[in-house]
Amino acid sequence: QKEVEQDPGPLSVPEGAIVSLNCTYSNSAFQYFMWYRQYSRKGPELLMYTYSSGNKEDGRFTAQVDKSSKYISLFIRDSQPSDSATYLCAMSPNAGGTSYGKLTFGQGTILTVHP
Amino acid sequence: GAVVSQHPSRVICKSGTSVKIECRSLDFQATTMFWYRQFPKKSLMLMATSNEGSKATYEQGVEKDKFLINHASLTLSTLTVTSAHPEDSSFYICSARAVGTYGYTFGSGTRLTVV
């Protein structure tokens, strides 16, 4: 079983739709949860960063973390064609030493928002 | 915000030659940088953790002698792919975290093609 599972999609939605992206994980040590957006042939760009359980909103993006279920989500409201990209969830344990900063990524979900 | 510059963005080399990829933190100091490899439509795989002034820490299965990492200053880490072969063709990405910020900033990636 992979430490982080993410549905690779692809996911295709019409402009203006609400998009829901999800990841599940098995390592209970994960405390920091991130969502990255990656355009083709580019490095990932940090979208959202959350610590432990709860919700965080930033503009059209909302990140949710449910540690009891080991489940995280990213919601995109009023999706735009420019949101078309690969979305990667990433996680890191809350620990010092060499394990700090070591991110474990999901497989990435390919999202296409069509006009 | 924190910026990580990666160079070159694309390189084609002949089999058996070596290629050096540079990763620079432009507006912050990074004692630790991370090198990832990404195959088409796949997630990022951590290859090694680069530590300024000391030896890199490699992930299991990554050949230390093939992927040489040097982190000689607080703003520069290099990855040298030695005696490259076609199977080394991939997308290589570095990342670093600026103190006081959340998440990790990624470089724009290097597309390596070995012919």
Side-chain angles (χ1 to χ4, degrees):
Chain A
Q1 180 189 9
K2 292 181 182 177
E3 274 193 298
V4 180
E5 298 273 3
Q6 182 178 4
D7 187 343
L11 185 61
S12 181
V13 301
E15 183 175 356
I18 296 175
V19 176
S20 174
L21 304 167
N22 312 292
C23 288
T24 59
Y25 62 96
S26 58
N27 188 346
S28 57
F30 289 140
Q31 297 284 340
Y32 295 95
F33 304 92
M34 287 147 270
W35 285 95
Y36 284 87
R37 176 175 62 196
Q38 185 177 24
Y39 292 112
S40 182
R41 300 187 183 91
K42 297 292 183 183
E45 168 195 10
L46 181 65
L47 280 178
M48 300 289 285
Y49 177 98
T50 54
Y51 170 68
S52 199
S53 286
N55 294 357
K56 184 176 182 178
E57 187 174 320
D58 184 1
R60 296 185 295 113
F61 299 92
T62 299
Q64 287 185 350
V65 174
D66 182 350
K67 289 193 66 185
S68 62
S69 302
K70 294 189 176 65
Y71 187 87
I72 69 170
S73 300
L74 176 71
F75 297 96
I76 307 174
R77 292 182 298 279
D78 187 25
S79 56
Q80 303 295 310
S82 58
D83 295 328
S84 299
T86 297
Y87 289 80
L88 297 146
C89 63
M91 307 177 189
S92 179
N94 180 23
T98 57
S99 63
Y100 181 70
K102 183 176 174 178
L103 295 180
T104 301
F105 283 87
Q107 187 177 352
T109 300
I110 300 171
L111 171 67
T112 302
V113 181
H114 51 87
Chain B
V3 177
V4 173
S5 174
Q6 189 172 342
H7 180 79
S9 59
R10 181 175 293 190
V11 58
I12 301 173
C13 70
K14 291 184 177 181
S15 187
T17 61
S18 295
V19 173
K20 180 184 285 189
I21 302 170
E22 291 188 350
C23 181
R24 294 180 184 273
S25 56
L26 294 187
D27 49 0
F28 65 98
Q29 294 182 332
T31 55
T32 302
M33 292 185 176
F34 304 91
W35 286 96
Y36 293 84
R37 183 173 181 176
Q38 187 176 33
F39 292 101
K41 297 185 178 180
K42 297 292 184 183
S43 190
L44 282 77
M45 274 182 19
L46 180 65
M47 298 174 63
T49 302
S50 172
N51 303 298
E52 188 267 335
S54 64
K55 291 183 179 180
T57 304
Y58 290 83
E59 295 300 301
Q60 190 174 9
V62 177
E63 299 177 60
K64 300 178 183 181
D65 295 332
K66 167 166 271 304
F67 300 101
L68 299 180
I69 291 173
N70 183 277
H71 195 152
S73 77
L74 287 171
T75 58
L76 174 64
S77 175
T78 61
L79 168 68
T80 301
V81 183
T82 63
S83 186
H85 291 283
E87 56 265 31
D88 298 324
S89 298
S90 191
F91 193 54
Y92 293 87
I93 315 174
C94 65
S95 78
R97 175 178 169 269
V99 174
T101 66
Y102 295 104
Y104 297 81
T105 303
F106 284 80
S108 55
T110 298
R111 173 79 55 194
L112 170 64
T113 303
V114 185
V115 297

